[in-house]
Amino acid sequence: MGTWDVVVVGAGPVGLLLGGDLAAAGVRVAVLDRSAEPSREPKANAVVGQATRLLQPRGVLVRLGQPGPPTAARVFQFGGLRLDLADLAATPLHGVAVPQQALERALAERAVEAGARVRRSAEVVGIDQDDRGVRLRVRAESAVREVTAAYAAGCDGGGSTVRRLAGIGFPGVTDSTVVSRSADVVVPGGVVSPETAQADLPGIGRIGLYGWHRTARGAYAALPRPTGSLLISVMEWEESTADTDPDGAMELDEFTAAVRRVLGADLVVEEPTGPGPHQRRRWRGRNTRIADSYRNGRVFLAGDAAHVHNAIGAPGLNLGLQDAANLGWRLAAAVAGRPGALAGYDGERRIAAHRVAMHSQAQTALLAPDGGITALRALLTELLEEPAVRARLATMLEGADVRYPAPPGAHPLVGRFVPDGLARYLDATSPVLFDLGAASTDVPAGIRVISPDGATLPARSLLVRPDGYVAWASDEDGPAAAAGLRQALDALFGD
Ligand SMILES: Cc1cc2nc3c(=O)[nH]c(=O)nc-3n(C[C@H](O)[C@H](O)[C@H](O)COP(=O)(O)OP(=O)(O)OC[C@H]3O[C@@H](n4cnc5c(N)ncnc54)[C@H](O)[C@@H]3O)c2cc1C
């Protein structure tokens, strides 16, 4: 399997975005995955947040048949509470509705076309490294072979082997009181209407079809699938588990009994007959964990391998895809001889993971059937009447509340995600200089310079990294700005 600049372990969405960015930058990259074919398990239905704006300049939205900019959300939820965004001056939350399997297909096509080698049925079972490179032991076709690379990236999911082999801890909490169940079902008798996005549920009455609903005994959510079935999920906090085998498969009877407990009434559900696979899952406990380092020497972690959290609010892909975009340009720079670029990865992405850990735990807690939570929800409902509160929560769900560390005295845009309207100009392989002033004299080769309409630019000049974050900005023109730009470029690559 040879020698590579970078080996990416895991061909999920995060590994595939990283592999594509590296290949586009001319890096010799292999993406290895232990499974023989892409997962058919239904997972995400949407990418929510800033990561959507990385997909357009990488050509991924075109491949998904959604070439326009990501949709600005008019309504969302926070812990099952309605978050109206339509009346805000600028909606801070963006989304792209796409099944995870379709997203992975588009990312894989892009990576392969850019020159990445995607190799399946290749399981990484050992890693060691020294100051010259990484050696990975890879089991393929029942033989174990050695693969070498300058760097390795573990994008191998929540149970990451790379994390374990690299000796990286995974501290955090497991909330073992929560039991969740999800199943693709059909609900007969016109109880749900995807056309009006409403459901007439026994025990609850008429509710919006999408999102979480808290009941006296738990929480209920539904999501219509494009195939015609309905993905129903329930969460319980005080369940008698005596009648279920914790490790066994979940039968439909067990699921309908849980739905009955949560709704307080019977909801008739049937097995879907259309094309599958149909999800049926039970999981106990909720993990919120963040790797204690995203890097050990030449080995890096990204995506679920680096952090796991509750899925509420759909933050997983936003976090993981942005890890990949952040790590991609850094690894490409390191392969090109500028290893100092790798220094900022761990610190920057850890900030984003801690925000998600906090708000996904808070949102899950808001669904618990406890009297104190009822009071807390009443208080939050009052606060949500304020547009500023709704804007702030939506900004957090977008991931736009994150500011990466910036040097003292830096322009307020530095460390922030690229302002609206500029993301489509991003380049996956090099920083982009948006320039209205004189900073562009003496710009090093390889940096794309764009001079857009002044009305859309929030500073005279901005240097934006391939992951969409502002590395430098200036309100000045002339030699001082040009010197600041040169300094910022050196700092970016750790020179
Ligand atoms: C039911 C469900 C619904 C979800 N809904 C949403 C949603 O709506 N929005 C959202 O943003 N997120 C959602 N998520 C979360 C999202 O699916 C994950 O955050 C995302 O899959 C993480 O991507 P990843 O590439 O980091 O890891 P994974 O997708 O887990 O990919 C890891 C890959 O690594 C491979 N691998 C593992 N070990 C090895 C090894 N030793 N050697 C080689 N390969 C290996 C695996 O085969 C796998 O292909 C949902 C998750 C679930 C389970």
Side-chain angles (χ1 to χ4, degrees), residues 9-15 32-35 41-46 100 104 122-124 155-157 161 279 281 302-305 314-318:
V9 185
V14 174
L32 309 179
D33 200 290
R34 68 179 171 198
S35 58
E41 186 192 351
K43 288 188 182 173
N45 298 293
Q100 186 162 328
E104 289 180 17
E123 180 178 15
V124 170
C155 304
D156 51 342
T161 302
Q279 180 176 315
R281 300 177 75 211
D304 281 11
L317 289 172
N318 194 26

